[in-house]
Amino acid sequence: MHEDIKNILINEEQIKKRVQELGEQLSKEYEGKKVIMICLLKGAAYFACDLSRAMTIPVRMEFMVASSYGDSTTTSGSVAVRLDVKDDIAGLHVLLVDDIIDTGLTFARVKNLLQTKNPASIKTVAMCDKEERRMNGMEADYVGFTIPDEFVVGYGLDYAGDYRNLPYIGVLKPSVYART
Ligand code: IMP
Ligand code: MG
């Protein structure tokens, strides 16, 4: 385990199993539909790539950047969308994927924006859900893991750009953010 990690919350095996389950569920529910996965960079990249490979129906991939954090561990409250979808999503079934739903501001903002592009439907997929932190009643349609209100890193989740490639999801030692 990395020395900056306090404890592992979800291990590699648990992640694999859950991604597989979600992939199978989505494949059933979206059978016969034209699906486009929209992955929020950079955090959701690891999860979205694995999830799309766990799906047995055709899935297109698109990417957007929505950032609310800067380098701190709490949201700045405003969400900036820095790259809009290039593909035409009109008539397609959108699966909007993020690494974690926290306050809910990111999903709310991006979903609103995508709605204006006339997709057939939009559903949200969050790898992790910190339910207690919600500020706006936003809920993810599909959730990998519901987790307690602790700052986590790994499997795409970062702190100031670091720890994304850890193969597990772990709680970051508070002493790490006290250093900066
Ligand atoms: P929301 O807009 O508050 O729902 O926040 C979503 C974004 O906050 C995610 O895309 C993450 O980048 C970031 N975030 C929230 N909690 C954590 C965490 O525990 N670790 C790493 N990033 C987090
Ligand atoms: Mg993020």
Side-chain angles (χ1 to χ4, degrees), residues 115-139:
Q115 212 92 58
T116 65
K117 297 170 185 291
N118 303 313
S121 69
I122 306 182
K123 283 200 173 175
T124 50
V125 187
M127 175 175 77
C128 294
D129 182 358
K130 279 194 214 170
E131 271 177 345
E132 302 162 44
R133 297 250 315 152
R134 210 76 85 251
M135 283 168 57
N136 59 359
M138 179 80 205
E139 290 305 331

PDB file of all heavy atoms in Angstrom, residues 115-139:
ATOM      1  N   GLN A 115     -28.307  18.328 -22.215  1.00  0.00           N
ATOM      2  CA  GLN A 115     -29.730  18.298 -22.531  1.00  0.00           C
ATOM      3  C   GLN A 115     -30.058  19.202 -23.740  1.00  0.00           C
ATOM      4  O   GLN A 115     -30.927  18.876 -24.538  1.00  0.00           O
ATOM      5  CB  GLN A 115     -30.533  18.774 -21.315  1.00  0.00           C
ATOM      6  CG  GLN A 115     -31.881  18.125 -21.163  1.00  0.00           C
ATOM      7  CD  GLN A 115     -31.816  16.879 -20.283  1.00  0.00           C
ATOM      8  OE1 GLN A 115     -31.389  16.972 -19.135  1.00  0.00           O
ATOM      9  NE2 GLN A 115     -32.227  15.740 -20.813  1.00  0.00           N
ATOM     10  N   THR A 116     -29.342  20.286 -23.867  1.00  0.00           N
ATOM     11  CA  THR A 116     -29.600  21.235 -24.962  1.00  0.00           C
ATOM     12  C   THR A 116     -29.195  20.652 -26.320  1.00  0.00           C
ATOM     13  O   THR A 116     -29.489  21.227 -27.357  1.00  0.00           O
ATOM     14  CB  THR A 116     -28.815  22.556 -24.756  1.00  0.00           C
ATOM     15  OG1 THR A 116     -27.418  22.270 -24.827  1.00  0.00           O
ATOM     16  CG2 THR A 116     -29.129  23.193 -23.408  1.00  0.00           C
ATOM     17  N   LYS A 117     -28.493  19.511 -26.328  1.00  0.00           N
ATOM     18  CA  LYS A 117     -28.046  18.920 -27.586  1.00  0.00           C
ATOM     19  C   LYS A 117     -28.960  17.793 -28.064  1.00  0.00           C
ATOM     20  O   LYS A 117     -28.588  17.009 -28.936  1.00  0.00           O
ATOM     21  CB  LYS A 117     -26.608  18.397 -27.429  1.00  0.00           C
ATOM     22  CG  LYS A 117     -25.616  19.520 -27.127  1.00  0.00           C
ATOM     23  CD  LYS A 117     -24.262  18.961 -26.742  1.00  0.00           C
ATOM     24  CE  LYS A 117     -23.297  20.045 -26.312  1.00  0.00           C
ATOM     25  NZ  LYS A 117     -22.871  20.914 -27.429  1.00  0.00           N
ATOM     26  N   ASN A 118     -30.146  17.727 -27.465  1.00  0.00           N
ATOM     27  CA  ASN A 118     -31.200  16.791 -27.885  1.00  0.00           C
ATOM     28  C   ASN A 118     -30.847  15.306 -27.953  1.00  0.00           C
ATOM     29  O   ASN A 118     -31.158  14.626 -28.938  1.00  0.00           O
ATOM     30  CB  ASN A 118     -31.763  17.211 -29.255  1.00  0.00           C
ATOM     31  CG  ASN A 118     -32.298  18.621 -29.207  1.00  0.00           C
ATOM     32  OD1 ASN A 118     -33.039  18.974 -28.281  1.00  0.00           O
ATOM     33  ND2 ASN A 118     -31.889  19.445 -30.166  1.00  0.00           N
ATOM     34  N   PRO A 119     -30.234  14.781 -26.914  1.00  0.00           N
ATOM     35  CA  PRO A 119     -30.020  13.327 -26.884  1.00  0.00           C
ATOM     36  C   PRO A 119     -31.342  12.609 -26.662  1.00  0.00           C
ATOM     37  O   PRO A 119     -32.306  13.230 -26.210  1.00  0.00           O
ATOM     38  CB  PRO A 119     -29.092  13.142 -25.684  1.00  0.00           C
ATOM     39  CG  PRO A 119     -29.426  14.271 -24.773  1.00  0.00           C
ATOM     40  CD  PRO A 119     -29.776  15.433 -25.670  1.00  0.00           C
ATOM     41  N   ALA A 120     -31.398  11.313 -26.965  1.00  0.00           N
ATOM     42  CA  ALA A 120     -32.619  10.532 -26.717  1.00  0.00           C
ATOM     43  C   ALA A 120     -32.856  10.402 -25.218  1.00  0.00           C
ATOM     44  O   ALA A 120     -34.001  10.406 -24.753  1.00  0.00           O
ATOM     45  CB  ALA A 120     -32.497   9.153 -27.364  1.00  0.00           C
ATOM     46  N   SER A 121     -31.780  10.253 -24.447  1.00  0.00           N
ATOM     47  CA  SER A 121     -31.884  10.190 -22.986  1.00  0.00           C
ATOM     48  C   SER A 121     -30.507  10.484 -22.394  1.00  0.00           C
ATOM     49  O   SER A 121     -29.499  10.384 -23.093  1.00  0.00           O
ATOM     50  CB  SER A 121     -32.342   8.798 -22.534  1.00  0.00           C
ATOM     51  OG  SER A 121     -31.329   7.836 -22.762  1.00  0.00           O
ATOM     52  N   ILE A 122     -30.501  10.855 -21.115  1.00  0.00           N
ATOM     53  CA  ILE A 122     -29.220  11.021 -20.403  1.00  0.00           C
ATOM     54  C   ILE A 122     -29.349  10.358 -19.045  1.00  0.00           C
ATOM     55  O   ILE A 122     -30.276  10.653 -18.285  1.00  0.00           O
ATOM     56  CB  ILE A 122     -28.857  12.501 -20.121  1.00  0.00           C
ATOM     57  CG1 ILE A 122     -28.881  13.336 -21.392  1.00  0.00           C
ATOM     58  CG2 ILE A 122     -27.485  12.596 -19.442  1.00  0.00           C
ATOM     59  CD1 ILE A 122     -28.480  14.793 -21.160  1.00  0.00           C
ATOM     60  N   LYS A 123     -28.423   9.462 -18.757  1.00  0.00           N
ATOM     61  CA  LYS A 123     -28.361   8.908 -17.401  1.00  0.00           C
ATOM     62  C   LYS A 123     -26.940   9.069 -16.882  1.00  0.00           C
ATOM     63  O   LYS A 123     -25.979   9.114 -17.652  1.00  0.00           O
ATOM     64  CB  LYS A 123     -28.805   7.449 -17.386  1.00  0.00           C
ATOM     65  CG  LYS A 123     -30.322   7.345 -17.484  1.00  0.00           C
ATOM     66  CD  LYS A 123     -30.851   6.020 -17.014  1.00  0.00           C
ATOM     67  CE  LYS A 123     -32.383   6.087 -16.986  1.00  0.00           C
ATOM     68  NZ  LYS A 123     -32.951   4.780 -16.654  1.00  0.00           N
ATOM     69  N   THR A 124     -26.838   9.162 -15.557  1.00  0.00           N
ATOM     70  CA  THR A 124     -25.538   9.406 -14.947  1.00  0.00           C
ATOM     71  C   THR A 124     -25.019   8.143 -14.255  1.00  0.00           C
ATOM     72  O   THR A 124     -25.780   7.387 -13.662  1.00  0.00           O
ATOM     73  CB  THR A 124     -25.639  10.536 -13.909  1.00  0.00           C
ATOM     74  OG1 THR A 124     -26.730  10.258 -13.038  1.00  0.00           O
ATOM     75  CG2 THR A 124     -25.846  11.877 -14.576  1.00  0.00           C
ATOM     76  N   VAL A 125     -23.717   7.954 -14.356  1.00  0.00           N
ATOM     77  CA  VAL A 125     -23.058   6.812 -13.728  1.00  0.00           C
ATOM     78  C   VAL A 125     -21.905   7.348 -12.880  1.00  0.00           C
ATOM     79  O   VAL A 125     -21.009   8.009 -13.409  1.00  0.00           O
ATOM     80  CB  VAL A 125     -22.458   5.843 -14.784  1.00  0.00           C
ATOM     81  CG1 VAL A 125     -21.930   4.576 -14.112  1.00  0.00           C
ATOM     82  CG2 VAL A 125     -23.466   5.505 -15.873  1.00  0.00           C
ATOM     83  N   ALA A 126     -21.938   7.060 -11.582  1.00  0.00           N
ATOM     84  CA  ALA A 126     -20.840   7.493 -10.717  1.00  0.00           C
ATOM     85  C   ALA A 126     -20.154   6.271 -10.139  1.00  0.00           C
ATOM     86  O   ALA A 126     -20.811   5.368  -9.626  1.00  0.00           O
ATOM     87  CB  ALA A 126     -21.369   8.359  -9.578  1.00  0.00           C
ATOM     88  N   MET A 127     -18.842   6.243 -10.246  1.00  0.00           N
ATOM     89  CA  MET A 127     -18.111   5.120  -9.662  1.00  0.00           C
ATOM     90  C   MET A 127     -18.313   5.120  -8.140  1.00  0.00           C
ATOM     91  O   MET A 127     -18.611   4.092  -7.555  1.00  0.00           O
ATOM     92  CB  MET A 127     -16.623   5.257 -10.001  1.00  0.00           C
ATOM     93  CG  MET A 127     -15.737   4.222  -9.366  1.00  0.00           C
ATOM     94  SD  MET A 127     -14.060   4.382  -9.937  1.00  0.00           S
ATOM     95  CE  MET A 127     -13.451   5.783  -9.012  1.00  0.00           C
ATOM     96  N   CYS A 128     -18.161   6.301  -7.515  1.00  0.00           N
ATOM     97  CA  CYS A 128     -18.389   6.418  -6.073  1.00  0.00           C
ATOM     98  C   CYS A 128     -19.431   7.481  -5.792  1.00  0.00           C
ATOM     99  O   CYS A 128     -19.579   8.433  -6.552  1.00  0.00           O
ATOM    100  CB  CYS A 128     -17.107   6.811  -5.343  1.00  0.00           C
ATOM    101  SG  CYS A 128     -15.820   5.574  -5.405  1.00  0.00           S
ATOM    102  N   ASP A 129     -20.116   7.323  -4.679  1.00  0.00           N
ATOM    103  CA  ASP A 129     -21.151   8.271  -4.282  1.00  0.00           C
ATOM    104  C   ASP A 129     -20.959   8.625  -2.809  1.00  0.00           C
ATOM    105  O   ASP A 129     -21.017   7.763  -1.945  1.00  0.00           O
ATOM    106  CB  ASP A 129     -22.529   7.609  -4.493  1.00  0.00           C
ATOM    107  CG  ASP A 129     -23.681   8.542  -4.140  1.00  0.00           C
ATOM    108  OD1 ASP A 129     -23.420   9.683  -3.695  1.00  0.00           O
ATOM    109  OD2 ASP A 129     -24.841   8.121  -4.304  1.00  0.00           O
ATOM    110  N   LYS A 130     -20.687   9.922  -2.557  1.00  0.00           N
ATOM    111  CA  LYS A 130     -20.634  10.406  -1.165  1.00  0.00           C
ATOM    112  C   LYS A 130     -21.969  11.064  -0.875  1.00  0.00           C
ATOM    113  O   LYS A 130     -22.105  12.284  -0.924  1.00  0.00           O
ATOM    114  CB  LYS A 130     -19.526  11.459  -1.026  1.00  0.00           C
ATOM    115  CG  LYS A 130     -18.134  10.937  -0.880  1.00  0.00           C
ATOM    116  CD  LYS A 130     -17.227  12.063  -0.403  1.00  0.00           C
ATOM    117  CE  LYS A 130     -15.841  11.940  -0.972  1.00  0.00           C
ATOM    118  NZ  LYS A 130     -15.012  13.130  -0.717  1.00  0.00           N
ATOM    119  N   GLU A 131     -22.948  10.223  -0.590  1.00  0.00           N
ATOM    120  CA  GLU A 131     -24.344  10.674  -0.417  1.00  0.00           C
ATOM    121  C   GLU A 131     -24.521  11.844   0.547  1.00  0.00           C
ATOM    122  O   GLU A 131     -25.293  12.759   0.288  1.00  0.00           O
ATOM    123  CB  GLU A 131     -25.173   9.504   0.143  1.00  0.00           C
ATOM    124  CG  GLU A 131     -25.773   8.604  -0.906  1.00  0.00           C
ATOM    125  CD  GLU A 131     -26.513   7.427  -0.279  1.00  0.00           C
ATOM    126  OE1 GLU A 131     -26.309   7.159   0.928  1.00  0.00           O
ATOM    127  OE2 GLU A 131     -27.289   6.788  -1.010  1.00  0.00           O
ATOM    128  N   GLU A 132     -23.795  11.758   1.658  1.00  0.00           N
ATOM    129  CA  GLU A 132     -23.983  12.754   2.728  1.00  0.00           C
ATOM    130  C   GLU A 132     -23.640  14.172   2.305  1.00  0.00           C
ATOM    131  O   GLU A 132     -24.026  15.129   2.958  1.00  0.00           O
ATOM    132  CB  GLU A 132     -23.054  12.451   3.913  1.00  0.00           C
ATOM    133  CG  GLU A 132     -23.208  11.117   4.540  1.00  0.00           C
ATOM    134  CD  GLU A 132     -21.960  10.767   5.375  1.00  0.00           C
ATOM    135  OE1 GLU A 132     -21.469  11.632   6.116  1.00  0.00           O
ATOM    136  OE2 GLU A 132     -21.482   9.628   5.241  1.00  0.00           O
ATOM    137  N   ARG A 133     -22.877  14.303   1.238  1.00  0.00           N
ATOM    138  CA  ARG A 133     -22.358  15.616   0.875  1.00  0.00           C
ATOM    139  C   ARG A 133     -23.238  16.380  -0.114  1.00  0.00           C
ATOM    140  O   ARG A 133     -22.933  17.502  -0.494  1.00  0.00           O
ATOM    141  CB  ARG A 133     -20.976  15.436   0.249  1.00  0.00           C
ATOM    142  CG  ARG A 133     -19.969  14.837   1.218  1.00  0.00           C
ATOM    143  CD  ARG A 133     -18.949  15.832   1.620  1.00  0.00           C
ATOM    144  NE  ARG A 133     -18.470  16.571   0.460  1.00  0.00           N
ATOM    145  CZ  ARG A 133     -18.000  17.804   0.523  1.00  0.00           C
ATOM    146  NH1 ARG A 133     -17.959  18.434   1.668  1.00  0.00           N
ATOM    147  NH2 ARG A 133     -17.570  18.403  -0.569  1.00  0.00           N
ATOM    148  N   ARG A 134     -24.329  15.765  -0.551  1.00  0.00           N
ATOM    149  CA  ARG A 134     -25.113  16.358  -1.627  1.00  0.00           C
ATOM    150  C   ARG A 134     -25.684  17.725  -1.278  1.00  0.00           C
ATOM    151  O   ARG A 134     -26.196  17.943  -0.191  1.00  0.00           O
ATOM    152  CB  ARG A 134     -26.248  15.430  -2.044  1.00  0.00           C
ATOM    153  CG  ARG A 134     -26.581  15.621  -3.502  1.00  0.00           C
ATOM    154  CD  ARG A 134     -25.558  14.980  -4.455  1.00  0.00           C
ATOM    155  NE  ARG A 134     -25.860  13.587  -4.669  1.00  0.00           N
ATOM    156  CZ  ARG A 134     -25.119  12.598  -4.173  1.00  0.00           C
ATOM    157  NH1 ARG A 134     -24.021  12.849  -3.500  1.00  0.00           N
ATOM    158  NH2 ARG A 134     -25.458  11.355  -4.386  1.00  0.00           N
ATOM    159  N   MET A 135     -25.598  18.657  -2.229  1.00  0.00           N
ATOM    160  CA  MET A 135     -26.095  20.011  -2.009  1.00  0.00           C
ATOM    161  C   MET A 135     -27.341  20.331  -2.822  1.00  0.00           C
ATOM    162  O   MET A 135     -27.956  21.372  -2.625  1.00  0.00           O
ATOM    163  CB  MET A 135     -25.000  21.037  -2.380  1.00  0.00           C
ATOM    164  CG  MET A 135     -23.911  21.159  -1.329  1.00  0.00           C
ATOM    165  SD  MET A 135     -22.475  22.080  -1.933  1.00  0.00           S
ATOM    166  CE  MET A 135     -23.224  23.633  -2.414  1.00  0.00           C
ATOM    167  N   ASN A 136     -27.707  19.472  -3.779  1.00  0.00           N
ATOM    168  CA  ASN A 136     -28.744  19.889  -4.724  1.00  0.00           C
ATOM    169  C   ASN A 136     -29.782  18.815  -5.087  1.00  0.00           C
ATOM    170  O   ASN A 136     -30.486  18.952  -6.080  1.00  0.00           O
ATOM    171  CB  ASN A 136     -28.078  20.375  -6.025  1.00  0.00           C
ATOM    172  CG  ASN A 136     -27.219  19.278  -6.651  1.00  0.00           C
ATOM    173  OD1 ASN A 136     -27.106  18.194  -6.107  1.00  0.00           O
ATOM    174  ND2 ASN A 136     -26.633  19.570  -7.788  1.00  0.00           N
ATOM    175  N   GLY A 137     -29.846  17.735  -4.339  1.00  0.00           N
ATOM    176  CA  GLY A 137     -30.847  16.711  -4.649  1.00  0.00           C
ATOM    177  C   GLY A 137     -30.553  15.877  -5.882  1.00  0.00           C
ATOM    178  O   GLY A 137     -31.341  15.015  -6.269  1.00  0.00           O
ATOM    179  N   MET A 138     -29.408  16.122  -6.508  1.00  0.00           N
ATOM    180  CA  MET A 138     -28.994  15.353  -7.685  1.00  0.00           C
ATOM    181  C   MET A 138     -28.665  13.910  -7.250  1.00  0.00           C
ATOM    182  O   MET A 138     -28.009  13.716  -6.247  1.00  0.00           O
ATOM    183  CB  MET A 138     -27.737  16.021  -8.260  1.00  0.00           C
ATOM    184  CG  MET A 138     -27.155  15.358  -9.471  1.00  0.00           C
ATOM    185  SD  MET A 138     -28.067  15.834 -10.943  1.00  0.00           S
ATOM    186  CE  MET A 138     -27.719  14.433 -11.990  1.00  0.00           C
ATOM    187  N   GLU A 139     -29.163  12.931  -8.009  1.00  0.00           N
ATOM    188  CA  GLU A 139     -28.772  11.552  -7.721  1.00  0.00           C
ATOM    189  C   GLU A 139     -28.199  10.912  -8.973  1.00  0.00           C
ATOM    190  O   GLU A 139     -28.656  11.199 -10.075  1.00  0.00           O
ATOM    191  CB  GLU A 139     -29.976  10.728  -7.243  1.00  0.00           C
ATOM    192  CG  GLU A 139     -30.488  11.104  -5.853  1.00  0.00           C
ATOM    193  CD  GLU A 139     -29.413  11.050  -4.762  1.00  0.00           C
ATOM    194  OE1 GLU A 139     -28.460  10.262  -4.881  1.00  0.00           O
ATOM    195  OE2 GLU A 139     -29.531  11.824  -3.791  1.00  0.00           O
TER     196      GLU A 139
END
